Amino acid sequence: MSQTLQAVRGMNDILPDEAETWEQFEESIRDWLKAYGYRPIRMPLVEPTPLFKRAIGEVTDIVEKEMYSFEDALNGEHLTLRPEGTASCVRAAIQHKMLHAGPQRLYYYGPMYRHERPQKGRYRQFHQIGVEALGFAGPDIDAELILMCARLWDDLGLEDVRLELNSLGSSEERAAHRSALIAYLEGHKEQLDEDGQRRLYTNPLRILDTKNPNLQALVEAAPKLIDYLGEESLAHFESVQQVLRDAGLPFRINPRLVRGLDYYNRTVFEWVTDRLGAQGTICAGGRYDGLVEQLGGKPAPAAGFAMGVERILALWQESGGVAEGHVPDAYVVHQGDAAARAAFRVAEGLRAHGFSVLLHCGGGSFKSQMKKADASGAPVALVIGEDEAAAGEVSFKPMRGGDQRRIGMDDLASELAELLFAADGDDGGV
Ligand code: ATP
Ligand code: MG
């Protein structure tokens, strides 16, 4: 016998029980995004490799070691499974001249790919909701992006999520900080790990983002970017904070928050929880004013964030949010050829009225079919035997109390609506 095949390590099947929770989450997400006027955009999962090198930065974890890159066997093109969405979204906006029509509020949702060590909350295929506001320069949009996250946590009832905030300033301010940082790190060169040694001159800011516990003290005492910010950057940062204070949203300024992607400037933020162990960042983002120009577009400011869907769902489940499985409105039981044909007509007729109907397939005795009807949770079984089929009727059998009765097929929809309405009233509505 041949060996059974398994999914690729770090890439998960999402089975029906869980997928129903995903769908319920996706529904709330759509309403939430609409409430803020963000519009959907869908980009390909595969992009030219140079897009990510240019956008995310050559000397970052993602580009150095996490990308699924390959050569197209047919034409030799260098391609990559997208590790994130901002680069693709900006590429699409430039390619389709979307900013000619003014600023754009956009969102996307889908799988991302990073070759990381799989563990709880960290996968090789994971999902992000990305929100990008292109063409907006002011601190108001930074604040809107942050406040809208807070609203989603509230909608979902997520607990223990806190906001960390920092400003990365302008590229000139970062350059001044960079010189000071290099001088400081040179003084402690022997303490740096391999990544640190390599990045000392290429991307020292990344060293501040290290997860190596041995480097934490060194990094803690390093020159802080926030001390190098000029007046304009500070004023921008202050305005963002003012809106958050006005909204009563608590935050903590974390001078070590630098983000793992090179395109950020000014405001950066992360939403973090202690409830998920080591993988506690559920959402991260900030301003990236240089990216549109860097990818070949007419210069335009921008800001956005991405949230990790697996981590948010884990926290949602922690906080008691689990979707109820789908329950059909009716289960159709039938026996005999004429009844089988009538059953199809009945089921389709009800679906045309908007009901969800499970039609028994695969035969079996009435008794075994009734067991299935019961297990489906449907409030009513519609039973069709030879008699009913000949009379153009259905036996209407409420599953949770109530009399069984014969009903003409034409009256079925209104009868079912009445039963469901009454049931809704009993549990105070759905
Ligand atoms: P981390 O520090 O956890 O590696 P990151 O800085 O690489 O995160 P971003 O690129 O900012 O993450 O992505 C935004 C969000 O996407 C993260 O905050 C996290 O919730 C989620 N995310 C990132 N990588 C993964 C992954 N491999 N598996 C699951 N979720 C992820
Ligand atoms: Mg990462």
Side-chain angles (χ1 to χ4, degrees):
M1 210 176 73
S2 62
Q3 215 181 348
T4 53
L5 291 169
Q6 305 272 316
V8 174
R9 192 163 123 79
M11 304 203 182
N12 300 317
D13 298 309
I14 300 163
L15 303 182
D17 279 348
E18 216 188 322
E20 276 169 349
T21 303
W22 279 66
E23 287 198 347
Q24 186 168 320
F25 169 74
E26 286 155 10
E27 268 171 41
S28 352
I29 290 295
R30 291 213 176 91
D31 293 343
W32 163 70
L33 288 158
K34 271 190 203 137
Y36 286 84
Y38 284 78
R39 299 181 64 207
I41 179 167
R42 301 184 185 207
M43 299 84 64
L45 300 195
V46 178
E47 294 276 1
T49 303
L51 172 66
F52 300 115
K53 293 194 173 172
R54 264 162 77 180
I56 300 168
E58 297 263 4
V59 192
T60 56
D61 278 351
I62 294 179
V63 171
E64 278 186 335
K65 46 194 177 194
E66 295 174 0
M67 293 210 303
Y68 282 94
S69 297
F70 57 98
E71 232 173 82
D72 186 321
L74 297 179
N75 64 9
E77 233 182 310
H78 293 275
L79 302 176
T80 293
L81 293 183
R82 64 179 187 192
E84 59 107 51
T86 304
S88 315
C89 182
V90 169
R91 189 232 0 100
I94 297 169
Q95 183 175 338
H96 303 287
K97 304 185 172 53
M98 291 173 69
L99 289 170
H100 288 196
Q104 301 282 329
R105 283 181 165 91
L106 303 171
Y107 78 87
Y108 48 84
Y109 173 54
M112 306 292 162
Y113 301 86
R114 297 185 194 178
H115 197 278
E116 307 196 62
R117 193 168 67 79
Q119 52 197 292
K120 184 172 171 277
R122 190 175 294 286
Y123 310 103
R124 291 180 175 171
Q125 176 182 276
F126 63 100
H127 296 73
Q128 283 186 339
I129 293 160
V131 174
E132 317 286 357
L134 306 180
F136 296 90
D140 47 1
I141 204 82
D142 308 24
E144 176 180 282
L145 290 167
I146 293 170
L147 288 180
M148 73 189 276
C149 293
R151 178 164 305 281
L152 181 63
W153 313 151
D154 209 47
D155 288 352
L156 296 173
L158 299 192
E159 288 159 6
D160 294 334
V161 188
R162 52 175 205 279
L163 172 63
E164 305 219 323
L165 205 59
N166 193 19
S167 174
L168 301 182
S170 66
S171 50
E172 297 77 39
E173 289 152 9
R174 272 202 305 287
H177 167 256
R178 182 191 150 101
S179 309
L181 183 61
I182 292 178
Y184 167 81
L185 292 171
E186 273 175 337
H188 302 82
K189 206 168 173 178
E190 70 295 341
Q191 279 169 260
L192 292 178
D193 59 11
E194 198 187 309
D195 272 345
Q197 302 267 1
R198 195 161 37 81
R199 290 171 176 180
L200 177 52
Y201 299 105
T202 52
N203 200 345
L205 200 61
R206 284 283 75 73
I207 301 176
L208 299 184
D209 195 36
T210 180
K211 301 215 162 65
N212 183 345
N214 301 326
L215 292 181
Q216 297 308 311
L218 180 70
V219 156
E220 201 68 56
K224 294 183 173 46
L225 185 43
I226 204 155
D227 296 328
Y228 290 79
L229 299 192
E231 231 169 88
E232 264 185 67
S233 291
L234 282 173
H236 185 103
F237 195 32
E238 179 47 40
S239 299
V240 176
Q241 294 175 52
Q242 189 56 50
V243 180
L244 302 183
R245 281 195 292 266
D246 287 347
L249 186 69
F251 57 87
R252 182 176 87 92
I253 296 192
N254 175 359
R256 286 190 43 201
L257 184 65
V258 297
R259 309 288 304 110
L261 303 87
D262 279 354
Y263 49 62
Y264 287 108
N265 69 305
R266 290 209 169 157
T267 320
V268 288
F269 61 89
E270 287 193 358
W271 290 92
V272 201
T273 178
D274 293 324
R275 291 206 179 189
L276 296 178
Q279 270 53 254
T281 306
I282 59 168
C283 175
R287 185 157 275 286
Y288 51 91
D289 293 326
L291 187 60
V292 176
E293 184 178 20
Q294 200 182 314
L295 293 181
K298 203 165 132 258
F305 63 77
M307 51 181 74
V309 175
E310 283 80 358
R311 293 185 194 177
I312 288 175
L313 286 177
L315 188 59
W316 194 31
Q317 264 155 340
E318 266 276 301
S319 316
V322 180
E324 287 171 23
H326 175 71
V327 172
D329 296 326
Y331 193 102
V332 181
V333 164
H334 56 91
Q335 202 155 49
D337 289 343
R341 289 165 61 195
F344 268 96
R345 269 201 313 279
V346 163
E348 285 301 330
L350 289 174
R351 290 176 190 132
H353 277 89
F355 295 104
S356 89
V357 180
L358 258 184
L359 170 64
H360 183 84
C361 285
S365 67
F366 265 130
K367 198 171 159 212
S368 72
Q369 293 192 36
M370 283 309 294
K371 269 195 192 155
K372 294 247 166 64
D374 193 35
S376 76
V380 63
L382 306 175
V383 183
I384 309 173
E386 295 299 337
D387 264 12
E388 285 92 343
E393 291 178 342
V394 166
S395 289
F396 190 91
K397 190 175 178 354
M399 302 300 280
R400 287 177 238 123
D403 293 334
Q404 175 168 334
R405 49 202 186 270
R406 293 265 292 245
I407 293 172
M409 287 181 190
D410 292 341
D411 301 326
L412 205 47
S414 56
E415 194 76 15
L416 182 56
E418 214 165 287
L419 177 95
L420 294 173
F421 185 73
D424 266 8
D426 288 349
D427 10 289
V430 172

